[in-house]
Amino acid sequence: MEHLLPAYLNLSDDDFLRKKDALYEILKECRLCPRKCRVNRIKGEIGYCKAPKDLIVSSVSPHFGEEDELVGENGSGTIFFSHCSLRCIFCQNYEISHFGYGKEITENELALKMIFLQKIGCHNINLVTPTHYVPQIVSAIYLASKNGLSIPIVYNSSGYERVETLKFLCGIIDIYMPDMKYSEREPASVYSNAPDYFEVSKSAIKEMHNQVGDLIVEKEIAKKGLLIRHLVLPNNEAGTHNILEFIASLSKDTYINIMDQYRPLYQANRFPKIARTIKYDEYQKAISEAKRVGLYRGF
């Protein structure tokens, strides 16, 4: 197999700058995510995600708890962004996503952090909850690429994405790693205030797959493609069956991580249906369902 170079290394300066400028225009009437708050973040207005104009980052480090294909020997170079456009009531990182804990940094500082992660051997740059900072991130990737960045970029998101925003990322992102959280309107509404989650995420994931295809792994390290995560919830509140059927219809070669680590964190104990961990048979049922629909990569 021919060695795959990161997509952004093939993007011209003009294309990079055109994308960046267009994305910054969107910040003046912010509609980066499906909520389309239309606040002027350039002037300091705050929308649903609570994110300001400037980047807020909570941590930068090698991460060894991600999928094996991202971690390798030296870790996935994770950058956790503060605030979130989905804001699930059971979020395990609620201090970051809901409360916005973190430090303000510039685009140039973000670029330097990407270079640092590469220098210490990380196999990729893993952008965690990046949606509301896409313009600033694109600018930072451009700056980093001019200073030697040459490892894949991972877009690690909730799956609640606007196709229009994702189109700007074509040719920049190498690996998309979205969640697929819900297939039913009521749980999506109650737990994430996003009754349209399933329809929105299906459109977004189709766009991601169109851009990067199925996951490509070289020497046990992911280089390009789509990797989907699905968190099994108690009492089948996630609607796992419909999610797996959609993924199989997209491509049976899709890599999917079916996750069993749900815990009732943050405000989850207020909701009886999700106020416990999942049972062994709930998880095994999800695995069996994935196999039944023809999925085989990941789990």
Side-chain angles (χ1 to χ4, degrees), residues 58-156:
S58 69
S59 65
V60 177
S61 65
H63 193 351
F64 293 88
E66 304 284 55
E67 288 75 0
D68 290 346
E69 291 82 355
L70 297 180
V71 169
E73 292 185 2
N74 301 319
S76 177
T78 54
I79 302 173
F80 279 87
F81 294 95
S82 303
H83 301 291
C84 179
S85 58
L86 195 58
R87 297 165 61 85
C88 305
I89 58 90
F90 53 79
C91 182
Q92 66 179 9
N93 295 319
Y94 63 90
E95 298 95 339
I96 302 168
S97 61
H98 286 258
F99 302 155
Y101 290 178
K103 179 183 178 183
E104 183 178 307
I105 66 171
T106 66
E107 295 163 2
N108 190 59
E109 288 171 325
L110 179 58
L112 291 174
K113 291 180 184 300
M114 292 178 181
I115 296 294
F116 164 75
L117 291 169
Q118 176 174 279
K119 283 183 177 178
I120 63 173
C122 292
H123 300 285
N124 46 66
I125 302 298
N126 188 345
L127 308 170
V128 184
T129 322
T131 310
H132 44 294
Y133 293 122
V134 165
Q136 301 92 329
I137 288 169
V138 167
S139 180
I141 293 171
Y142 173 72
L143 293 170
S145 72
K146 293 299 172 187
N147 287 279
L149 188 70
S150 60
I151 54 178
I153 305 290
V154 182
Y155 191 89
N156 181 345

